[in-house]
Amino acid sequence: MMPLKDKIALVTGAARGIGQAIAWQLASQGADLALCDVQAEWLEDTAAQAKALGRRVESYALDVVNAAAVTEIVARIVADFGRLDVLVNNAGITRDTLLVRMTEEDWDAVLDINLKGAFLVTKAVAKQMMKQRSGAIVNIASVVGLTGNAGQANYTASKAGLMALTKTAAKELGGRNIRVNAVAPGFIRTAMTDKLAEPVKAAMLKLVPLGRPGEPEEVAQAVAFLASDAASYVNGQTLAVCGGMVG
Ligand code: NAD
């Protein structure tokens, strides 16, 4: 089955972790890829495996908080591929510390990349999708944006904001046949969570009814579903992929 056959998909933060798994899953379901990451040199591995699946893949250096670069790169992608069917806003960072110790810089960096970055890329891509009168956008949020999490005031606020942005964009763009949804992963095994202290990981795992961390591929499957026509009447929703952590 190739539900995404010949669709053109832009994935931000595609160099590793969840973004890399999303890129490979979309490619395995037939999509051609515009891979973006601030660490462009890391994209080689993602690109090589997607190409091995027989898809067209182009890589672009992009910092999602750079508004001028976002406009320029999205225009270049449209010129290179001729259209854009899927956008996955995946780029994200953490700068964890307790609220009273959090610097303004920690706050701004996380809100800028996780929330403003998604706004900037969505705005540029939506203009193209509006011309086409079709498209699907998937934002990678987090279950902690629903629950809150000690030590993550900046991150939880950014992800709650991203889920609200998802709902608003779905309302504004639905009339042009553009669907906007979010996936909220729970505790997923990537470099982002590897750096957590063992007691923190153990405490998080206790909250997961399935009793194990999720794999990036399990998030990618949900993203591919929302990006595909199989989800043609799903709009403005957040799908938690968290092993039952948040009910
Ligand atoms: P990761 O750190 O392994 O990968 C993030 C990628 O984003 C990296 O390739 C990085 O270079 C890129 N990136 C960072 N800043 C960027 C910028 N300014 N512009 C473009 N690219 C940038 O993280 P991950 O665990 O794969 O997380 C991916 C997404 O999933 C993030 O949005 C994260 O918040 C979300 N998420 C992760 C988990 C988890 O448990 N790992 C849980 C919930 C949500």
Side-chain angles (χ1 to χ4, degrees):
M1 273 224 331
M2 298 288 255
L4 297 170
K5 184 152 176 38
D6 299 328
K7 301 238 189 229
I8 312 299
L10 189 176
V11 182
T12 69
R16 67 179 196 182
I18 292 171
Q20 182 176 65
I22 290 168
W24 288 339
Q25 185 56 232
L26 298 183
S28 76
Q29 297 194 18
D32 290 338
L33 300 176
L35 302 176
C36 297
D37 204 288
V38 69
Q39 303 283 355
E41 67 282 6
W42 295 355
L43 282 169
E44 270 175 37
D45 191 26
T46 314
Q49 286 212 42
K51 280 181 192 158
L53 292 164
R55 307 314 314 172
R56 178 175 175 196
V57 183
E58 304 291 343
S59 300
Y60 305 85
L62 178 64
D63 179 347
V64 294
V65 300
N66 183 335
V70 167
T71 307
E72 188 200 319
I73 294 294
V74 169
R76 205 188 311 161
I77 291 168
V78 172
D80 287 349
F81 288 89
R83 56 184 291 117
L84 248 180
D85 303 296
V86 174
L87 164 64
V88 183
N89 283 309
N90 165 79
I93 62 163
T94 50
R95 290 260 186 107
D96 297 352
T97 190
L98 293 174
L99 176 64
V100 291
R101 291 196 197 130
M102 190 170 285
T103 63
E104 196 177 339
E105 203 223 328
D106 290 334
W107 175 271
D108 286 345
V110 171
L111 268 290
D112 274 357
I113 293 174
N114 297 8
L115 185 54
K116 184 176 168 184
F119 156 68
L120 291 172
V121 183
T122 298
K123 183 177 168 182
V125 169
K127 286 180 183 167
Q128 173 63 23
M129 289 179 169
M130 285 166 82
K131 283 188 207 152
Q132 297 168 189
R133 293 199 159 261
S134 73
I137 299 171
V138 184
N139 294 322
I140 308 303
S142 170
V143 288
V144 297
L146 297 164
T147 61
N149 195 26
Q152 292 196 307
N154 48 4
Y155 185 78
T156 53
S158 74
K159 295 301 187 179
L162 189 56
M163 288 185 270
L165 174 64
T166 300
K167 291 179 197 171
T168 296
K171 287 191 159 82
E172 290 191 13
L173 301 172
R176 304 290 181 102
N177 193 30
I178 301 163
R179 297 179 299 102
V180 189
N181 291 291
V183 167
F187 182 53
I188 310 298
R189 256 181 354 122
T190 70
M192 185 181 271
T193 49
D194 283 349
K195 68 185 179 194
L196 294 172
E198 285 306 324
V200 175
K201 287 189 204 172
M204 290 199 81
L205 271 183
K206 275 199 187 138
L207 302 173
V208 182
L210 287 183
R212 63 170 178 86
E215 298 297 330
E217 297 71 28
E218 294 176 294
V219 177
Q221 293 275 4
V223 173
F225 164 69
L226 290 171
S228 77
D229 294 342
S232 53
Y233 204 55
V234 183
N235 192 25
Q237 305 303 306
T238 295
L239 175 55
V241 179
C242 62
M245 193 178 180
V246 173

